[in-house]
Amino acid sequence: MRYRKFGKNAPYLSVFSLGTMRYLASEENAIATVRRAVALGINHLETARAYGKSEQYLGAALAAGLPLPREKLHITTKITPQASAAEMSRCIDESLERLKIDYIDSVAIHGLNTWEQLDLVKSDRCIPAVRKALADGRVRQIGFSSHGSLDLILAAIETDLFQFANLHYYLFFQRNAPAIELAAKKEMGIFIISPADKGGRLYSPPPALEKLCYPFSPLELNYRFLLSNPYITTLSLGAASPEELDWPLSVADRTEPLTPEEKATLERLEARATDTLAGDKCSQCYQCLPCPEKIQIPEVLRLRNLAVAYDMTEYGQYRYRMFENAGHWFPGMKADECTECGDCLPRCPEQLNIPKLLRDTHQRLNGKGRRRLWE
């Protein structure tokens, strides 16, 4: 296991963190999973008030005793933006009680996804409670998690209110690269959300993608892409059982720069996308937005890119079906809402037939809607 500093004046965290959204089968399973993670070198345990009994179960694991003493562990919990300082303070105290600890190493504002939420956090209705908790030692540092737009994330980082950011960034989604760079410039910790699942469901890749990535597995290549970036502190590992820890942590010491063979594999993936998508490849410039029908055109076409180029249809369906079903966590309408108004067409530098591609994506990926796991 390797360790990296989690922001300015912050401790060193293991490059993999145990995310506890999926270990909810039972308290016994949760305790066993946490204990195994710590025994394997993980010192960062992440939970959230919204994750069912996750805080309670993590508290039980801490109370039962772990291979590291409390002061050697880093506990993060996430709290959604609250409308008043009193509510925010109450949430912090409730998390402390459920976790059975005297202080929380890191509190993240959970789901800072909209401009209204950012304004709320910046206002005197929310942040004073966090500052008070920092001053009295109940909380050691404050950060945020976001599923929002790049512009929003950059604005949140520029407030200088936060010591770390919890973001989406993967081999198959590099839109937030400028946010990674800005956060690093400000000496913030950077915590990547769910690279195995949100990064492409790479624990069960399609055969076409496996063949393209050989001699590496797609998940291994994604982990190496992230671990080789010195700006990134730690990756979330959402193990549902102790057994799910072993394979990912086998790469936890491989933080060196990408090898020539790994770089060649990434180039092969890019060439495959260029060849198969040809004139229909969306370059993710985002110039097509805003859409009058609130379709998140670049994200829809990113999922199409992956389905066509790498046969990642199952992943595309998994994400596409969240449109219209997950609120600000995954905003936007499905592609069949396109009215062919043509607003996006002159803004596209590739001159893509966007309405046609939207229709095609909907036919490929639509199905029964789904919500976020913890809902």
Side-chain angles (χ1 to χ4, degrees), residues 88-133:
M88 192 69 188
S89 185
R90 180 183 63 80
C91 289
I92 292 170
D93 288 339
E94 287 178 353
S95 290
L96 284 164
E97 182 179 352
R98 281 193 286 265
L99 290 164
K100 297 182 173 64
I101 54 179
D102 298 326
Y103 66 92
I104 302 168
D105 299 272
S106 297
V107 166
I109 303 299
H110 192 187
L112 195 55
N113 301 333
T114 69
W115 292 100
E116 292 77 13
Q117 289 171 322
L118 179 58
D119 288 341
L120 174 61
V121 171
K122 288 161 51 180
S123 75
D124 59 6
R125 291 175 289 164
C126 184
I127 205 65
V130 178
R131 288 180 175 147
K132 184 176 186 301

Side-chain angles (χ1 to χ4, degrees), residues 120-318:
L120 174 61
V121 171
K122 288 161 51 180
S123 75
D124 59 6
R125 291 175 289 164
C126 184
I127 205 65
V130 178
R131 288 180 175 147
K132 184 176 186 301
L134 290 167
D136 63 28
R138 286 177 293 156
V139 174
R140 300 291 174 86
Q141 65 172 359
I142 183 71
F144 71 94
S145 72
S146 182
H147 300 242
S149 69
L150 174 60
D151 287 346
L152 175 70
I153 294 169
L154 292 172
I157 293 170
E158 288 285 14
T159 65
D160 293 324
L161 292 172
F162 306 106
Q163 286 76 57
F164 67 93
N166 191 195
L167 304 174
H168 291 280
Y169 179 72
Y170 320 106
L171 175 59
F172 293 119
F173 177 77
Q174 298 181 35
R175 171 69 175 170
N176 287 335
I180 300 285
E181 294 173 8
L182 180 61
K185 182 179 179 181
K186 290 180 173 288
E187 298 183 86
M188 294 172 63
I190 299 168
F191 180 20
I192 301 300
I193 298 170
S194 183
D197 186 69
K198 304 302 188 296
R201 302 196 92 178
L202 299 177
Y203 45 78
S204 58
L209 183 60
E210 287 187 294
K211 184 176 180 180
L212 284 165
C213 292
Y214 186 81
F216 312 101
S217 73
L219 182 54
E220 176 188 10
L221 201 62
N222 189 41
Y223 281 150
R224 283 286 295 127
F225 170 78
L226 296 169
L227 291 171
S228 68
N229 186 332
Y231 295 159
I232 293 171
T233 309
T234 187
L235 316 179
S236 178
L237 173 53
S241 67
E243 296 73 26
E244 291 188 4
L245 291 160
D246 293 339
W247 186 89
L249 295 188
S250 69
V251 300
D253 62 344
R254 294 172 57 191
T255 58
E256 70 276 7
L258 293 172
T259 66
E261 191 174 18
E262 288 168 336
K263 290 179 180 178
T265 304
L266 297 184
E267 291 170 1
R268 186 163 64 246
L269 285 168
E270 184 61 29
R272 167 75 174 188
T274 300
D275 291 344
T276 56
L277 289 158
D280 289 341
K281 182 182 178 183
C282 172
S283 66
Q284 299 289 282
C285 68
Y286 279 64
Q287 293 182 38
C288 55
L289 294 181
C291 168
E293 305 306 325
K294 295 182 169 53
I295 299 168
Q296 295 296 316
I297 298 170
E299 179 62 10
V300 171
L301 297 189
R302 180 182 78 91
L303 299 177
R304 183 185 184 276
N305 282 354
L306 297 177
V308 173
Y310 310 128
D311 199 23
M312 293 172 67
T313 302
E314 182 180 343
Y315 169 70
Q317 291 171 341
Y318 159 58

Side-chain angles (χ1 to χ4, degrees), residues 13 29 112 170 290 368:
L13 302 190
N29 176 70
L112 195 55
Y170 320 106
K368 185 178 180 181

